[in-house]
Amino acid sequence: MAKNDVKIPKATLKRLPLYYRFVSTLHNSGVDRVSSKELSEGLKIDSATIRRDFSYFGELGKKGYGYNISYLLKFFRTTLEQDDMTKVAIVGVGNLGTALVNYNFTVNDRMQIVAAFDQSESISGSMVGKLTVDSMDDFEKVVEEVGIQVVILTVPQQAAQRVADRITFAGITGILNFTPQRINVPEKVQVHHIDLGIELQSLIFFMKNQ
Amino acid sequence: MAKNDVKIPKATLKRLPLYYRFVSTLHNSGVDRVSSKELSEGLKIDSATIRRDFSYFGELGKKGYGYNISYLLKFFRTTLEQDDMTKVAIVGVGNLGTALVNYNFTVNDRMQIVAAFDQSESISGSMVGKLTVDSMDDFEKVVEEVGIQVVILTVPQQAAQRVADRITFAGITGILNFTPQRINVPEKVQVHHIDLGIELQSLIFFMKNQ
């Protein structure tokens, strides 16, 4: 049972999708319970963190028994999933954008990449994966007609802020920013930033300083 | 001056590359000092966190003046950069691997993508970006000859653990894992995981629950 009166910390919330997917995999393999130790080994998160996280979800675990998979699955599903499908567009169909159009994002079936946009006339109109790339000229029209809520931003760094301004103005409230550029957006817009260069440098730094 | 006797927390260390790049950009623009508020706005990290992080770096900031850019830059450069070049290989040259071979990772000039490998005979031997894709048959030989230390892993999920075993056995000590699969590696190996599906789901979750 969710403790609805308790505010779940942001760090815990960020791990929810991860827990959800792992528990789904166990469920599909016919497993019916899991210990925090097994979760820890499978997810590479220390078991103290897992136990603390799970304490926010209510009384889900029993000592010497572990957590009930069906219960967890139902809990995560209810917490994470919404009734409506979230429609996602990719803006910037270069190498990375093309790879992401073709990437299998299906953590669950409640989100879908439904459109891709590029401002280059040599790219718009072409097929990438199962999508025909739309022109940025049609961005606002397509967003409204199709009901796009999220943009994966894979434009060149120098275009990032300008394009971000345009897509937030069109009503997009979530951006997964793959450019190295930090972007400024209105407060109601959620941005998650995946900076691949920083990730690589950070890895190297930890390798050499562990 | 670095407080060498103080252990810098892992979360702070993870932000170092981000600070470094931002400060470099300011330096290149001719800026000579920066406040924690400006850092906060530029980096989208709250200023309390920035001040706490920077306190670990020694007495770098002055009230009403901010931080000295040249000093910061020198500090980050010394802390982050090593004398030797880190050589990186991409294993798995599908859509995502191809995009990453072509991606401009150059946060600094001390890391370089020097090789790409694929097990498919239809891919190995072909040119991707400036690299000729090597066969996985030659993996161990090339790693040793070229001195590769880091692998960016972009193989299919079901191959991830098997390939990870092989690359760690070949002496690789850092893996940037782009597959949805959590991988088990020897303790001396550092793994950073970028799970794109989880990132997207997490963004959507925060959008709908902010």
Side-chain angles (χ1 to χ4, degrees):
Chain A
M1 220 165 310
K3 291 177 180 168
N4 285 320
D5 51 336
V6 175
K7 196 167 151 47
I8 300 180
K10 198 161 176 172
T12 301
L13 290 178
K14 279 211 171 186
R15 286 186 284 270
L16 272 190
L18 205 58
Y19 292 142
Y20 174 43
R21 186 152 77 181
F22 190 70
V23 166
S24 297
T25 307
L26 292 176
H27 181 73
N28 293 339
S29 316
V31 176
D32 62 359
R33 55 184 173 166
V34 63
S35 65
S36 54
K37 187 161 172 285
E38 289 164 325
L39 284 164
S40 172
E41 283 165 7
L43 290 165
K44 315 289 172 216
I45 298 172
D46 70 275
S47 56
T49 300
I50 288 179
R51 281 192 300 271
R52 196 178 55 243
D53 282 354
F54 279 42
S55 74
Y56 288 106
F57 309 154
E59 304 301 324
L60 299 176
K62 286 175 200 155
K63 201 159 172 97
Y65 173 87
Y67 301 97
N68 181 299
I69 293 281
S70 301
Y71 192 100
L72 280 178
L73 198 60
K74 198 171 156 197
F75 177 83
F76 292 140
R77 204 172 266 157
T78 314
T79 310
L80 281 173
E81 295 196 353
Q82 317 290 328
D83 285 337
D84 53 328
M85 165 74 75
T86 302
K87 292 179 177 169
V88 181
I90 289 180
V91 175
V93 190
N95 286 309
L96 188 58
T98 300
L100 295 180
V101 170
N102 289 301
Y103 187 82
N104 179 14
F105 275 103
T106 47
V107 180
N108 64 43
D109 54 1
R110 307 310 298 154
M111 59 195 194
Q112 199 183 354
I113 293 178
V114 294
F117 297 88
D118 201 281
Q119 68 162 10
S120 158
E121 284 178 23
S122 64
I123 295 174
S124 65
S126 65
M127 288 288 292
V128 173
K130 290 172 187 166
L131 298 176
T132 304
V133 180
D134 287 312
S135 164
M136 273 308 279
D137 294 345
D138 301 324
F139 181 74
E140 289 77 5
K141 187 167 69 90
V142 176
V143 163
E144 195 181 337
E145 282 174 6
V146 179
I148 293 165
Q149 296 167 277
V150 176
V151 160
I152 296 177
L153 191 64
T154 45
V155 297
Q157 173 170 9
Q158 61 275 20
Q161 184 60 57
R162 183 171 46 77
V163 176
D165 290 345
R166 185 163 167 196
I167 62 190
T168 54
F169 195 73
I172 297 295
T173 54
I175 300 176
L176 193 56
N177 177 18
F178 276 92
T179 79
Q181 184 68 45
R182 297 260 144 177
I183 52 176
N184 293 304
V185 296
E187 207 172 316
K188 62 169 197 249
V189 179
Q190 193 81 33
V191 178
H192 285 204
H193 193 198
I194 301 181
D195 186 326
L196 301 176
I198 293 290
E199 293 287 347
L200 183 55
Q201 190 178 29
S202 174
L203 168 69
I204 292 170
F205 177 66
F206 275 87
M207 275 169 61
K208 300 198 169 174
N209 294 281
Q210 67 172 334
Chain B
M1 221 165 309
K3 290 176 181 170
N4 285 320
D5 51 336
V6 175
K7 196 168 153 44
I8 300 180
K10 197 162 177 172
T12 302
L13 290 178
K14 279 210 172 188
R15 286 186 284 269
L16 272 189
L18 206 58
Y19 292 142
Y20 174 44
R21 186 151 79 183
F22 190 69
V23 166
S24 297
T25 307
L26 292 177
H27 181 71
N28 294 338
S29 315
V31 176
D32 62 359
R33 55 183 173 165
V34 63
S35 66
S36 54
K37 187 161 173 285
E38 290 164 325
L39 284 164
S40 172
E41 282 166 6
L43 291 166
K44 314 290 173 215
I45 297 172
D46 71 273
S47 55
T49 301
I50 287 178
R51 282 193 300 270
R52 196 176 58 241
D53 283 352
F54 278 42
S55 72
Y56 289 104
F57 310 154
E59 304 300 325
L60 299 176
K62 285 176 201 154
K63 201 160 173 95
Y65 173 87
Y67 300 96
N68 181 299
I69 293 280
S70 301
Y71 193 101
L72 279 179
L73 199 60
K74 198 171 156 201
F75 177 83
F76 292 141
R77 205 171 263 157
T78 315
T79 310
L80 281 173
E81 294 197 353
Q82 317 290 326
D83 285 337
D84 54 330
M85 166 74 75
T86 303
K87 292 179 178 171
V88 181
I90 289 180
V91 175
V93 190
N95 286 310
L96 188 57
T98 300
L100 295 180
V101 170
N102 289 303
Y103 188 83
N104 179 14
F105 274 103
T106 47
V107 180
N108 64 43
D109 54 1
R110 306 310 299 155
M111 60 194 193
Q112 199 183 354
I113 294 178
V114 293
F117 297 88
D118 202 281
Q119 69 162 11
S120 158
E121 285 178 22
S122 64
I123 295 174
S124 65
S126 66
M127 288 290 291
V128 174
K130 291 172 187 165
L131 297 176
T132 305
V133 180
D134 289 311
S135 164
M136 272 308 279
D137 295 345
D138 301 324
F139 182 73
E140 289 78 5
K141 187 166 69 87
V142 176
V143 164
E144 195 181 337
E145 283 175 5
V146 179
I148 293 165
Q149 296 167 277
V150 176
V151 160
I152 296 177
L153 190 64
T154 45
V155 297
Q157 173 168 12
Q158 60 275 19
Q161 185 60 57
R162 183 171 46 76
V163 176
D165 291 344
R166 186 165 166 193
I167 61 189
T168 54
F169 195 74
I172 297 294
T173 54
I175 300 176
L176 193 56
N177 177 19
F178 275 93
T179 79
Q181 185 68 44
R182 298 259 144 177
I183 52 176
N184 293 304
V185 296
E187 208 171 314
K188 62 170 196 254
V189 180
Q190 193 80 33
V191 179
H192 285 203
H193 193 196
I194 301 181
D195 187 325
L196 301 176
I198 293 290
E199 293 288 347
L200 183 56
Q201 191 178 29
S202 174
L203 169 69
I204 293 169
F205 178 66
F206 275 87
M207 275 169 61
K208 300 198 170 175
N209 294 280
Q210 68 172 333

